[in-house]
Amino acid sequence: MNLAHVHLLLNHTPTIGFGVAICLYAVAFFGKNETLKRTGLVLLFLAAVLAIPTYISGNFAELRLCPDGQCLPGVSRTLIRAHEDAALLAFCVMEITGFMAWLALWQWRAWQRVPGWNAATVLLLSLVTFGAMANAATKGGSIRHSEIHATGEVVAADQTESGSQPAEEPDATASSGDGEGTARWLGEVMSGTTGVPWLWAASETVHFVGLCLLFTVVLFVNLRLLGMAKSLSFVSLYQLLPLGMIGFGMNLVTGIGFFLAKPAMYDTYVFYWKIALVVLGGVNVLYFTMLDEVWAVGSGDDAPPMAKSIAASAIVVWLGVLFCGHMLPFLGVSF
């Protein structure tokens, strides 16, 4: 089993799963059902979390389809690049939607209501995201399922791959494929091959700041539940969670930039562990937003055993993310 199998396993989640989440949320939004609305928001957030390994595993699936820059017979690099660009756009809007869905959950817990502007924003973004995801899924399916294409499109793709296109058309496959498409262009900009030579170093700084912000919030909230700083209530520390999510967003944006620049460099088991732990960390944060027992922890109170277990697991998970990220040059093939 490799990450191509993982991609095949996960790639239905951002479309089918997200579609189910939109239906639930739309019914709740227009029916003014707050319980069902929260369920839809949770599903939208979880779909955004699972989109991270879905997108990343797609690049590794390409490495299996096109080893050493040469695609297997019947595989069109042109179609792969079209899918890659569509998937990047869909991934970006899905992560924005997931963040707004989580923010709505945070607002509901903090104020017992979701502001109307954010509820409408989540609905609008989710519809845009579903359209982008459906487009990416269609382009992805066409890589191996030529029956979903019009005949002319299949022939054009085959001609591009074989180099038999008309003379007035540029040869899109004259190189190994690097630099083709928006995603590859962004990767070249990040790596310094094109555009800004210092962008990678600047992004490393932003990545480190985001990581510090995220992990500081993780420690403050979870150490309180483990028994430290009992003079503080959980409600007072709950206000810090959006700062942690902003730190995670900074890490996600810069991390995807690094990945776009040199995807083959991250084809290592240490990076796989890191992404798996990131997903667990995303699921873990829902506990502190949705469950009532932590909200009963007031000033001077001791947290219940379950809350302590979840808090300890959160610290372990994000320590694991830190460890895997810093060990990439030593335990993997990266850098």
Side-chain angles (χ1 to χ4, degrees):
M1 181 175 180
N2 54 45
L3 287 192
H5 296 91
V6 174
H7 188 64
L8 291 173
L9 179 66
L10 293 177
N11 62 16
H12 294 87
T13 303
T15 47
I16 298 175
F18 203 79
V20 172
I22 291 174
C23 291
L24 284 176
Y25 184 75
V27 169
F29 179 84
F30 292 108
K32 301 185 184 303
N33 186 322
E34 294 301 316
T35 301
L36 192 60
K37 185 185 292 184
R38 291 195 297 273
T39 303
L41 290 170
V42 169
L43 292 178
L44 290 173
F45 175 72
L46 289 176
V49 171
L50 289 175
I52 298 174
T54 303
Y55 177 77
I56 289 174
S57 60
N59 282 269
F60 297 131
E62 181 190 350
L63 293 177
R64 271 69 184 182
L65 286 173
C66 301
D68 301 321
Q70 298 297 321
C71 292
L72 299 178
V75 176
S76 167
R77 188 184 298 278
T78 302
L79 297 179
I80 291 177
R81 290 290 174 262
H83 172 57
E84 184 177 42
D85 288 348
L88 178 60
L89 175 61
F91 174 75
C92 290
V93 292
M94 173 167 275
E95 294 311 302
I96 295 172
T97 304
F99 174 79
M100 297 305 294
W102 179 87
L103 181 62
L105 291 170
W106 180 87
Q107 291 168 329
W108 165 77
R109 176 56 81 177
W111 306 326
Q112 295 303 304
R113 65 182 181 85
V114 178
W117 66 267
N118 196 18
T121 298
V122 171
L123 180 61
L124 178 61
L125 284 172
S126 63
L127 293 174
V128 173
T129 300
F130 183 74
M133 279 292 172
N135 179 53
T138 300
K139 291 183 181 298
S142 68
I143 295 172
R144 278 298 198 181
H145 297 278
S146 58
E147 68 274 12
I148 68 176
H149 268 290
T151 304
E153 293 176 316
V154 176
V155 171
D158 290 341
Q159 287 177 337
T160 300
E161 292 306 308
S162 63
S164 60
Q165 64 270 39
E168 66 271 19
E169 294 291 335
D171 186 358
T173 57
S175 66
S176 64
D178 292 339
E180 296 176 11
T182 303
R184 296 288 154 157
W185 175 79
L186 289 173
E188 290 181 352
V189 171
M190 173 61 75
S191 65
T193 304
T194 301
V196 187
W198 46 262
L199 185 58
W200 182 290
S203 298
E204 288 277 13
T205 302
V206 175
H207 197 78
F208 179 75
V209 172
L211 194 58
C212 291
L213 184 59
L214 169 63
F215 197 64
T216 298
V217 173
V218 168
L219 285 179
F220 276 9
V221 173
N222 291 288
L223 288 178
R224 166 61 187 92
L225 294 178
L226 290 173
M228 297 182 64
K230 284 191 174 183
S231 60
L232 299 173
S233 66
F234 175 79
V235 174
S236 62
L237 290 174
Y238 183 77
Q239 309 305 315
L240 296 174
L241 289 184
L243 293 177
M245 289 298 290
I246 290 173
F248 176 77
M250 295 166 66
N251 275 227
L252 182 61
V253 171
T254 52
I256 290 297
F258 300 145
F259 183 78
L260 288 174
K262 301 179 180 180
M265 188 173 68
Y266 294 94
D267 189 10
T268 170
Y269 67 94
V270 183
F271 184 69
Y272 309 159
W273 293 348
K274 178 179 179 179
I275 297 303
L277 290 170
V278 166
V279 172
L280 290 176
V283 175
N284 181 280
V285 75
L286 285 175
Y287 173 82
F288 302 105
T289 306
M290 301 301 299
L291 275 293
D292 292 331
E293 57 185 356
V294 290
W295 279 78
V297 180
S299 178
D301 293 340
D302 198 28
M306 177 59 73
K308 289 184 176 180
S309 300
I310 299 297
S313 69
I315 294 175
V316 171
V317 164
W318 288 109
L319 277 174
V321 173
L322 279 171
F323 176 81
C324 291
H326 284 81
M327 291 296 108
L328 281 173
F330 307 104
L331 299 180
V333 297
S334 302
F335 307 98

